[in-house]
Amino acid sequence: MRQYRASGRAFDNRSANWVTCFFRATRYRPVSERRQGNKEAPAYHLILEGILILWIIRLLFSKTYKLHETYKLTEKEKEDLIEEWQPEPLVPPVSKDHPSLSYDVVTGPPSHKITINGKECINFASFNFLGLLDNERVKQKALASLKKYGVGTCGPRGFYGTFDVHLELESRLAKFMKTEEAIIYSYGFATIASAIPAYSKRGDIIFVDEAACFSIQKGLQASRSFIKYFKHNNMEDLERLLNEQELEDQKNPRKARVTRKFILVEGLYINTADICPLPELVKMKYKYKVRIFLEESMSFGVLGEHGRGVTEHFGVNIDDIDLISANMENAVASIGGFCCGRSFVIDHQRLSGQGYCFSASLPPMLAAAAIEALNIMEEDPDIFTILRDKSQHIYNALQGIPGLKLVGVQFSPALHLQLERSSGSRDSDMQLLRTIVDYCLERRVALTLARYLEKEERFLPSPSIRVVVTIQQTEEDVQKAVSCIREAAAALLI
Amino acid sequence: LNNSVSVLYKKPFAESFEETPLLVAVLTYMGYGILTVFGYLRDFLRHWSIQTCHVAREKEEQKDFVPLYQDFENFYTRNLYMRIRDNWNRPICSVPGAKMNLVERVSRDYNWTFEHTGRVVKDVINMGSYNYLGFADNTGACADAAVEATEKYGVGVASSRCEMGNLDIQEKLEQLVARFLGLESSMIFGMGFATNSMNIPALTGKGCLILSDELNHASLVLGARLSGSTIRVFKHNNMQSLEKLLRDAIAHGQPRTHRPWKKILIVVEGIYSMEGSIVRLPEIVALKKRYKAYLYLDEAHSIGALGPNGRGVVDYFGLDPKDVDIMMGTFTKSFGAAGGYIAGKKDLINFLRCHSHSALYATSMSPPVAQQIITSMTIIMGEDGTTLGADRIRRLSENTTYFRRKLREMGVVIYGNDDSPVVPMMLYMPAKIGAFGREMLKRNIGTVVVGFPATPIIESRARFCVSAAHTREMLDTALKATDEVGDLLQLKYSRREQPLPSLGWMAKESLLQD
């Protein structure tokens, strides 16, 4: 059978005859036939090959076109389009009475007695759990560091921005938390938001609790991994998701061997003021072979006998948790954040944590303040018991206020007061709660609304008032605050 | 637009990026090839336990989990970075001023672990810290004011800006920053990196286009990614590339649907710290006005360091600050503090106050840091009654011009604009990265060396940051040491015969006859 393949290779006019000969020569013919008609070719044959060559020549000289751009705009059309195009304004206008537009101004130190908008109030709103914001020892150490190093570090950690204070703080944190290594960041928000994308990349899977805070959400977004949310503190839901994932893995074992899986939870949730069930999570970790990342901003320096957080609270071995991240802006009353864990895990962030490599390091005076705060925490573990007792006391006292319900567990120092019955519109709820806050401010009790970015949060929590317990609050302060809130609720809600 | 370009610039714009010589490029690739081969050899030896393995290992109980890192990802770290790791993360134990004290450390196992000997290397000339105006100081007006602020306010804030963390000192700083830049209002944030990564998502979203320079900083790239907008990259400082992208974008609209773009945001930096180049701002402003785009200018390195009044790259080119829609900068470099700011029209700042991620969720700036910025900014503006600020700005410009001229005369290849205080010097070969850093430290000069992945693979460099705190003697010492090391390591690759004429913005002063 004679088979020709117009292979589309480029040959030109001159080689056409050569091609014809080549085709003739490579035609298959049975042996007998070959001896006969070598010199003559049938006429239709020549015509067919001629047409083929002409077709190839035509294709060679016709214009090429790209499939996805079947039109080209002329210059004039482009100019017209450019003239016509009107962008949106850079920012949409903000209404004058937007609640976030005017901040409450604090004059003087944001400590136990805080001056807001000119009035001196008792502070129930700053996360100053251990009362270290106006501690003299911390201030003196910070001043000593300022007199030695100045304020700024003028460089990232890699380029002469590593001070001996930073190294000392890292080793102290690692020793305090009984882990191998710790790494410091210069901003609390950036800590977990840089840690997550350093380990979890595109294609990996992260199982997150729904009530995760905003910095975790930004870290998840930056990591480009698959995110699976499970219902808040609901271990059955998490187990269901993990089982589904296991079935998927069995279908595709090659992919499963390179897909990393993580569970991401907070120790004490900032949005719902309750605690994660850590022992069950550790069991699930070993059963389904998923790593655990724990975010302990609210529970570091609060839970546990020595303030080591939720692992000490539950008695879980800290080596079972792959990464613990916390910020030093709550109990430690400084600025910045840290991650601690085994060297195998933490060392990786020194080259791939974006907020660590590409940002200036923590000012040394803030690091010195954090070291002194750690000293105080180590010397006097009774403060944690006092804090827990006070939290319990306030929890009991704020129960049963008509119109308001208290959200949180009894040992959480940052509680939420939500409206028992919502009016249906978030704005009017927020305004109502704001009137309660203003009422309390008038009577010298400083409270604040919990603020969220409404359009950006994945699972927006209900509007609430934040109530924060610190060890500096006395019995009278608590009494005053509770009676104030009760009066406000009675006057404004019913 | 092309013909009138030269009209936009009030003084010559002299930038040079000498091309890599061919022989050097070939040798560099060979160098990396040899290192890779040795890397594989060492991995092999480590795997078969012939060589001790210092790499941290996963826990026993978790050995059957999916590995946390792919072996190949860390190949570069294990085998190339580890060998010269002692050039980075050098701990210091003094003010990061013109001279600093380094903590001496030794490694007995080829850089896997370091030990501090307990000694201090004193008076190392600091050519690595971003201390352009010399405000990193523990004595003087700034430090005193910061001490007062610490005593009054304490150190921490423990709340976000929206809730209970808005201090009066921060509001004072915001008004000062707005006045310094000549704009309506401004807003400050606690971290420079976070300023970019948290505010660009608030400004743009889906349906918007971000045109970002090739060599933008990681924070700008992260902010652009988190915003969800379409990102298109134009060649570094190349206005033809930018104009082409703008024209195509507006004419064709969004990809596939061809709907018109909601907004177009051009994101550039003032000084690019790895190249030492200054952005071509007059041309970009002309382009942005013509095509109705918005301009986001990140002045992390240029604020305080450029311009006759230290007001940044806008001042350097003599433009109107209101032409730039969003001016962003950091306080880490020229002000000796930490943090960032965004300044612009009142509408923009009001919007950011309500919608910025940082204002609602992140702790506000620490009071002594804010006070340091207030004091240093007041000095730069000259409002403290002295001429310290103007002196420092002038000294920085003189130091920059002198240093660059001398380096060019020496014959090394330096990149960047003649007026930028960031001076990258090319090393090219991987072995020279480690050698240069160590040799300079032996001569008591602290420099910064950068390699892959911060720079393209064959273009590794050393980077000098000139400061107003450097005296002429310090610069001469540094130059002499660079000369020696340049001869030792054969770094004088430049094939230019004569140095280019360099005119700073102070053309009247004749600096060529020292």
Side-chain angles (χ1 to χ4, degrees), chain A residues 316-333:
Chain A
V316 168
N317 183 4
I318 202 153
D319 272 345
D320 282 335
I321 311 292
D322 293 277
L323 180 84
I324 297 185
S325 146
N327 71 19
M328 300 194 287
E329 292 161 359
N330 299 336
V332 182

Side-chain angles (χ1 to χ4, degrees), chain A residues 109-313:
Chain A
S111 52
H112 177 60
K113 288 265 183 338
I114 188 173
T115 316
I116 305 182
N117 298 336
K119 291 195 268 293
E120 193 185 279
C121 313
I122 312 168
N123 194 348
F124 276 84
S126 302
F127 294 123
N128 183 15
F129 304 135
L130 300 176
L132 293 172
L133 274 183
D134 47 359
N135 186 301
E136 260 320 298
R137 274 171 64 178
V138 169
K139 265 195 213 173
Q140 287 310 318
K141 274 282 159 48
L143 282 173
S145 178
L146 170 58
K147 291 188 182 125
K148 184 175 176 200
Y149 297 107
V151 177
T153 56
C154 298
R157 285 294 287 260
F159 305 151
Y160 305 107
T162 306
F163 283 57
D164 43 358
V165 205
H166 296 136
L167 298 174
E168 197 192 327
L169 179 57
E170 284 180 357
S171 72
R172 286 295 301 279
L173 281 167
K175 216 163 44 146
F176 181 76
M177 294 293 284
K178 300 206 174 110
T179 58
E180 281 176 18
E181 203 174 322
I183 181 175
I184 311 181
Y185 285 82
S186 55
Y187 203 48
F189 189 99
T191 311
I192 190 70
S194 304
I196 299 175
Y199 300 102
S200 181
K201 314 271 184 207
R202 205 191 280 267
D204 297 330
I205 305 177
I206 309 185
F207 300 94
V208 194
D209 192 298
E210 272 180 3
C213 65
F214 195 72
S215 45
I216 293 183
Q217 290 174 30
K218 286 295 129 185
L220 294 172
Q221 196 183 350
S223 73
R224 296 198 257 214
S225 319
F226 290 119
I227 315 293
K228 303 205 163 140
Y229 289 94
F230 60 91
K231 293 199 185 46
H232 178 55
N233 270 351
N234 189 333
M235 291 295 107
E236 285 89 31
D237 202 29
L238 175 58
E239 186 130 24
R240 176 184 61 87
L241 285 173
L242 286 168
N243 276 326
E244 280 172 17
Q245 187 56 42
E246 212 175 271
L247 292 171
E248 286 278 334
D249 285 348
Q250 281 162 4
K251 283 188 214 148
N252 196 343
R254 263 179 98 193
K255 189 166 154 209
R257 243 177 291 144
V258 290
T259 311
R260 295 172 275 242
K261 297 185 260 297
F262 303 95
I263 298 181
L264 187 50
V265 285
E266 285 182 48
L268 204 56
Y269 287 90
I270 189 171
N271 290 343
T272 56
D274 54 4
I275 197 171
C276 73
L278 198 58
E280 281 111 54
L281 283 167
V282 172
K283 276 198 216 100
M284 272 200 242
K285 163 183 168 159
Y286 286 109
K287 183 173 170 200
Y288 294 95
K289 310 220 183 312
V290 210
R291 294 173 204 269
I292 299 189
F293 284 179
L294 190 57
E295 218 280 326
E296 288 222 71
S297 294
M298 300 295 277
S299 52
F300 179 74
V302 169
L303 293 180
E305 204 187 306
H306 294 102
R308 295 201 178 97
V310 75
T311 47
E312 204 182 20
H313 180 87

Side-chain angles (χ1 to χ4, degrees), chain B residues 97-98 125-127 395 399 465-472 474-475:
Chain B
I125 297 182
N126 187 354
M127 303 296 294
R395 256 210 316 270
N399 283 352
C465 289
V466 183
S467 157
H470 286 136
T471 60
R472 205 38 88 85
M474 289 185 213
L475 289 181

Side-chain angles (χ1 to χ4, degrees), chain A residues 71 73 75 78-79 81-83 85-92 94 98 100-101 103-110 114 116 125-128 133 139 142-143 146-160 162-164 167 186-187 189-190 199 214 218 221-222 224 256-260 262 285-286 289-291 319-320 322 329 333-335 342 344-345 348 351 354-355 358-360 363 365-366 369 447-453 456-457 466, chain B residues 56-59 61-62 64-70 73 77 81 88-96 100 102 116 128-130 136-138 143 146-147 150-158 161-164 166-168 171 187 190-191 193-194 198 203 217-218 222 225-226 247-248 250-252 258 260-264 290-292 294 325-326 332 336-338 347-348 350-351 353-355 357-364 366 368-369 372 446-448 463:
Chain A
Y71 65 92
L73 296 172
E75 279 309 308
K78 267 195 182 172
E79 284 299 326
L81 282 168
I82 292 173
E83 286 300 319
W85 179 67
Q86 283 299 331
E88 279 180 9
L90 180 58
V91 287
V94 174
H98 196 285
S100 302
L101 194 52
Y103 300 149
D104 293 321
V105 180
V106 174
T107 358
I114 188 173
I116 305 182
S126 302
F127 294 123
N128 183 15
L133 274 183
K139 265 195 213 173
L143 282 173
L146 170 58
K147 291 188 182 125
K148 184 175 176 200
Y149 297 107
V151 177
T153 56
C154 298
R157 285 294 287 260
F159 305 151
Y160 305 107
T162 306
F163 283 57
D164 43 358
L167 298 174
S186 55
Y187 203 48
F189 189 99
Y199 300 102
F214 195 72
K218 286 295 129 185
Q221 196 183 350
R224 296 198 257 214
R257 243 177 291 144
V258 290
T259 311
R260 295 172 275 242
F262 303 95
K285 163 183 168 159
Y286 286 109
K289 310 220 183 312
V290 210
R291 294 173 204 269
D319 272 345
D320 282 335
D322 293 277
E329 292 161 359
S334 177
I335 304 272
R342 278 170 285 124
F344 173 72
V345 180
H348 182 68
L351 283 178
Q354 291 216 318
F358 295 110
S359 170
M365 58 184 293
L366 301 174
L447 292 170
T448 181
L449 282 176
R451 287 285 171 77
Y452 307 101
L453 270 175
E456 309 267 337
E457 284 262 6
R466 236 193 259 284
Chain B
R57 285 284 157 84
E58 176 68 278
K59 235 169 50 153
E61 298 94 358
Q62 291 182 210
D64 52 348
F65 280 42
V66 176
L68 193 52
Y69 317 117
Q70 306 292 357
E73 268 170 29
T77 315
Y81 172 74
W88 293 289
N89 295 308
R90 289 187 178 147
I92 96 175
C93 49
S94 73
V95 179
M100 57 183 175
L102 292 181
H116 292 172
S129 291
Y130 304 135
D137 206 353
N138 56 350
V147 165
T150 317
E151 281 169 354
K152 180 175 174 202
Y153 290 95
V155 164
V157 182
R161 208 67 204 281
C162 244
E163 295 185 9
M164 203 52 67
N166 182 37
L167 304 174
D168 52 349
E171 298 215 325
M187 184 167 177
M191 186 199 199
F193 184 99
M198 295 210 251
L203 293 168
H217 190 252
L222 181 63
R225 263 186 43 210
L226 286 176
R247 289 179 75 84
D248 286 343
I250 302 179
H252 293 289
H258 295 291
W261 294 104
K262 289 195 196 154
K263 320 185 236 237
I264 299 187
R290 162 107 172 75
Y291 293 101
K292 295 175 266 194
Y294 299 114
D325 300 291
I326 308 160
T332 325
D347 298 332
L348 169 70
N350 284 345
F351 178 82
R353 277 192 212 283
C354 306
H355 293 94
H357 304 182
S358 167
L360 277 99
Y361 293 106
T363 313
S364 45
S366 166
V369 171
Q372 159 84 12
T447 51
V448 161
R463 198 177 63 176

Side-chain angles (χ1 to χ4, degrees), chain B residues 18-21 24 28 413 426-430 458-460 493:
Chain B
E18 219 179 293
E19 254 200 62
T20 315
V24 174
T28 312
V413 177
M426 302 309 287
L427 300 171
Y428 299 116
M429 300 188 194
I458 59 168
E459 289 176 17
S460 17
Y493 296 115

Side-chain angles (χ1 to χ4, degrees), chain A residues 317-438:
Chain A
N317 183 4
I318 202 153
D319 272 345
D320 282 335
I321 311 292
D322 293 277
L323 180 84
I324 297 185
S325 146
N327 71 19
M328 300 194 287
E329 292 161 359
N330 299 336
V332 182
S334 177
I335 304 272
F338 70 93
C339 289
C340 64
R342 278 170 285 124
S343 288
F344 173 72
V345 180
I346 297 295
D347 210 37
H348 182 68
Q349 279 181 52
R350 293 203 194 268
L351 283 178
S352 50
Q354 291 216 318
Y356 181 83
C357 302
F358 295 110
S359 170
S361 47
L362 186 64
M365 58 184 293
L366 301 174
I371 295 179
E372 191 56 27
L374 269 184
N375 286 342
I376 295 178
M377 280 164 65
E378 281 180 350
E379 282 164 20
D380 190 16
D382 291 330
I383 48 177
F384 306 114
T385 332
I386 300 177
L387 181 62
R388 251 197 305 281
D389 291 337
K390 287 207 196 247
S391 313
Q392 173 93 52
H393 181 64
I394 291 199
Y395 181 84
N396 293 335
L398 285 173
Q399 297 284 0
I401 299 184
L404 291 175
K405 69 172 181 223
L406 189 64
V407 173
V409 289
Q410 62 214 41
F411 44 79
S412 158
L415 302 159
H416 288 270
L417 274 172
Q418 288 176 2
L419 288 171
E420 244 171 22
R421 241 171 319 134
S422 160
S423 67
S425 136
R426 195 188 168 87
D427 281 336
S428 54
D429 284 347
M430 295 275 282
Q431 275 179 10
L432 194 50
L433 288 170
R434 179 78 213 180
T435 52
I436 299 182
V437 168
D438 287 332

